[in-house]
Amino acid sequence: MIDHLIVVGVGLIGGSLALDLKQQGLVKHVTGIGRSRDNLETALQLGIIDSIGDDLAGVAATADLILLSAPVGAMPGLFRQLAPVISANCIVTDVGSTKQDVIAAARAGLGERSAQFVPGHPIAGAETNGAAAARSGLYADKQFILTPLPENSASDIERVESLWRACGARVARMDAILHDQIFAAVSHLPHLLAFAVMDELASRPLVDMYFRYAGAGLRDATRIAGSHPEMWRDITLANRDALLEELDALGEKLKSLRALVAAKDGVGLEHVFSRARQARADWLQGKYNND
């Protein structure tokens, strides 16, 4: 049971967790913190939170769990605010898409209290945002990754893990470096590609014609270009090194595809397309789910 949960950033991710915990009777009171008063009022009306906090430092002292669901670029400032006020029994956790930078920020900002920070990342994002996007059941059968610190207590790790399991998530533990490498490839790179395609098309002189005749292919391939620009700016810069490696690797793949197109090599193109199709089918059919 959580007596007082604070959610910093009441959107799809943080709001959905609060809803699930409330519906299961695992939290008594939820306070929402955020930059948009309108969004917090919406969260209050929807029953996601029970009160609005005007100042994080002013309400954090009574919390026993604080969920940071803000853009990763905001984390250093949030940790600095929390360091002097959180109680010794309070657990701080996050839902950031990058882990090494957030862990470094926690150690710098929280100092000796960094052991109270248990980093995590739910794999349940979408292009929608804000409190109105939150929904119960979002985490059912979704992956949640913990990247615990050596200084975390076993009981704190278990408490965070148990909360996500209670929401239906499948929890795994992973090294933060490996986490950032993997998600540079499977999440951050696809987002950059979707943004790049839409930005390129939108900059063309005949933009009206292109979008007038665009269909499901463009819509499906660029769905995630509807994601929050500030959040993805922060993620891109936070995972810069791993993402640059992925961009270079993709650049080489595109060069090889260009060479096949230029050479009119239909056999070579079909081989690439067939491998890609099979890999996608294997993934969607759960071939790689070992848990």
Side-chain angles (χ1 to χ4, degrees), residues 9-10 31-46 49-56 59 130-132:
V10 188
T31 299
I33 298 281
R35 294 176 299 179
S36 169
R37 183 76 185 193
D38 288 344
N39 184 65
L40 293 173
E41 292 286 358
T42 298
L44 192 62
Q45 293 168 9
L46 293 174
I49 61 176
D50 302 302
S51 63
I52 295 173
D54 294 321
D55 174 55
L56 177 59
V59 297

Side-chain angles (χ1 to χ4, degrees), residues 94-95 119-123 142-146 160 164 169-172:
D94 80 314
V95 293
H121 177 204
I123 317 305
K142 300 289 178 58
Q143 294 277 3
F144 177 79
I145 299 174
L146 278 173
V160 173
W164 287 98
R170 294 181 285 129
V171 181

Side-chain angles (χ1 to χ4, degrees), residues 2-6 27-31 51 59-66:
I2 303 167
D3 288 327
H4 184 196
L5 167 66
I6 294 177
V27 62
K28 292 182 179 178
H29 188 92
V30 180
T31 299
S51 63
V59 297
T62 61
D64 45 353
L65 183 70
I66 299 174

Side-chain angles (χ1 to χ4, degrees), residues 86-253:
I86 57 173
S87 71
N89 296 321
C90 179
I91 299 173
V92 182
T93 188
D94 80 314
V95 293
S97 184
T98 56
K99 295 273 69 86
Q100 293 178 85
D101 63 307
V102 176
I103 290 171
R107 286 176 169 149
L110 291 175
E112 63 183 15
R113 293 200 178 278
S114 63
Q116 295 174 234
F117 174 61
V118 182
H121 177 204
I123 317 305
E127 72 278 13
T128 54
N129 52 70
R135 63 183 185 272
S136 60
L138 176 66
Y139 301 109
D141 205 34
K142 300 289 178 58
Q143 294 277 3
F144 177 79
I145 299 174
L146 278 173
T147 59
L149 310 183
E151 58 265 39
N152 289 148
S153 71
S155 61
D156 283 355
I157 296 171
E158 175 57 33
R159 191 175 187 198
V160 173
E161 182 172 321
S162 67
L163 290 173
W164 287 98
R165 287 193 188 280
C167 297
R170 294 181 285 129
V171 181
R173 299 186 188 186
M174 188 181 295
D175 173 77
I177 295 174
L178 178 60
H179 171 280
D180 288 357
Q181 290 172 342
I182 289 174
F183 283 91
V186 301
S187 175
H188 308 164
L189 180 65
H191 276 82
L192 256 65
L193 293 178
F195 285 129
V197 169
M198 292 304 294
D199 190 51
E200 164 62 20
L201 292 175
S203 68
R204 296 185 177 187
L206 296 178
V207 58
D208 290 348
M209 294 286 287
Y210 283 106
F211 285 129
R212 183 181 308 158
Y213 297 109
L218 182 67
R219 180 197 64 208
D220 294 346
T222 62
R223 176 185 61 81
I224 50 179
S227 301
H228 199 290
E230 179 187 2
M231 180 179 76
W232 281 98
R233 174 203 67 195
D234 288 354
I235 290 171
T236 299
L237 295 178
N239 208 16
R240 174 179 175 271
D241 292 342
L243 191 47
L244 284 172
E245 291 183 9
E246 295 302 332
L247 286 167
D248 289 342
L250 181 65
E252 291 303 314
K253 174 60 71 173

